[in-house]
């Protein structure tokens, strides 16, 4: 068939949630657009990929050494919310109520899929607890079985550290990813977080 078009379909296919049929639909759509539109899309992808890096402290996306949240003097660094992906930071930030900082783990433990402890930024989190001395770590992971395992692992790992470990309230439906939770549910889950050591509810 047509080489470059097939290459485009192949490339689109590699994106998450894009099947072959969708890839063909997107590729044909792009072919129908003016060349300038396709060039613009290619340019913004390159721009985002080259300008953004990981924040040196929380591993959220950032244009600078520290992301805007870590660099902000008004955020409370005594509270670190541990999330799976940068998109989860966005989900919590959309609620507009959380004033603490974050730590992006880069996934959740899933040994069957090759995601072991060393593949996540768990050592970095331990390092932050030792150097930044936060008062509270909020485990803000989703409701999947792997997220659950990870939450329990972290709570156990930090149980002897002088830090309170809490988790989002059970308002999140089982299996739900944070990024798909609606704003009210997420804000509520954050507000009604529970202590992982003593099982008390935060006031
Ligand atoms: Zn940061």
């Amino acid at each position: 068939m047509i080489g470059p078009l097939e290459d485009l379909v192949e490339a689109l296919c590699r994106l998450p949630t894009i099947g072959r049929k969708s890839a063909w639909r997107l590729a044909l759509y792009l072919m129908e657009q003016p060349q300038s539109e396709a060039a613009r899309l290619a340019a913004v992808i390159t721009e985002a990929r080259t300008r953004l890096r990981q924040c040196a402290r929380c591993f959220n996306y950032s244009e600078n050494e520290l992301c805007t949240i870590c660099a902000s003097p008004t955020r409370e660094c005594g509270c670190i919310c541990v999330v799976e992906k940068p998109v989860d930071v966005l989900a919590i930030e959309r609620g507009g109520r959380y004033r603490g900082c974050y730590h992006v783990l880069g996934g959740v433990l899933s040994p069957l899929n090759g995601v072991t402890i060393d593949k996540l930024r768990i050592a970095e989190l331990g390092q932050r607890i030792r150097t930044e001395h936060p008062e509270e770590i909020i485990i803000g992971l989703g409701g999947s079985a792997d997220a659950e395992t990870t939450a329990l692992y972290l709570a156990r790992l930090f149980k002897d550290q002088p830090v309170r470990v809490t988790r989002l309230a059970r308002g999140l439906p089982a299996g739900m990813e944070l990024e798909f939770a609606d704003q009210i549910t997420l804000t509520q889950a954050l507000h009604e977080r529970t202590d992982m050591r003593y099982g008390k509810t935060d006031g």
Side-chain angles (χ1 to χ4, degrees):
M1 256 246 345
I2 316 153
L5 186 56
E6 285 183 330
D7 290 347
L8 177 57
V9 171
E10 280 308 315
L12 291 169
C13 259
R14 270 179 246 134
L15 299 174
T17 76
I18 306 287
R20 187 152 286 274
K21 218 163 143 187
S22 302
W24 268 106
R25 203 175 303 136
L26 285 170
L28 293 173
Y29 170 81
L30 288 169
M31 295 310 296
E32 285 161 16
Q33 302 306 302
Q35 219 169 37
S36 59
E37 263 310 295
R40 211 183 70 83
L41 177 64
V44 292
I45 293 174
T46 308
E47 170 98 349
R49 197 60 195 83
T50 49
R51 276 184 51 189
L52 293 184
R53 51 176 159 163
Q54 280 167 349
C55 169
R57 191 200 259 161
C58 74
F59 302 96
N60 187 12
Y61 286 129
S62 175
E63 276 195 78
N64 302 305
E65 164 106 13
L66 289 182
C67 72
T68 49
I69 296 171
C70 286
S72 165
T74 63
R75 302 295 291 232
E76 295 150 16
C77 38
C79 188
I80 300 176
C81 184
V82 179
V83 294
E84 190 179 334
K85 307 175 290 271
V87 69
D88 301 330
V89 173
L90 292 178
I92 294 175
E93 286 298 292
R94 268 200 305 271
R97 298 277 294 276
Y98 179 65
R99 300 307 304 153
C101 293
Y102 295 91
H103 187 86
V104 180
L105 274 188
V108 286
L109 290 172
S110 182
L112 290 179
N113 296 310
V115 186
T116 45
I117 293 158
D118 56 304
K119 299 269 170 33
L120 302 176
R121 299 183 196 106
I122 291 174
E124 289 86 342
L125 178 59
Q127 182 67 21
R128 286 185 70 184
I129 291 175
R130 286 188 294 275
T131 56
E132 295 176 27
H133 310 293
E135 287 147 34
E136 182 177 354
I137 299 288
I138 304 173
I139 310 284
L141 301 174
S144 71
D146 285 342
E148 184 68 16
T149 309
T150 312
L152 294 175
Y153 173 78
L154 292 176
R156 214 168 36 229
L157 184 66
F158 302 131
K159 74 176 175 10
D160 295 327
Q161 301 278 346
V163 64
R164 183 179 170 215
V165 181
T166 59
R167 68 187 308 170
L168 297 181
R170 294 298 182 149
L172 289 183
M176 179 181 254
E177 300 247 0
L178 227 65
E179 61 180 296
F180 301 121
D182 68 85
Q183 243 175 67
I184 295 169
T185 307
L186 199 49
T187 303
Q188 188 109 357
L190 198 56
H191 183 67
E192 294 171 359
R193 61 191 184 271
T194 52
D195 212 306
M196 285 195 79
R197 258 181 249 176
Y198 312 106
K200 283 180 199 154
T201 301
D202 189 70

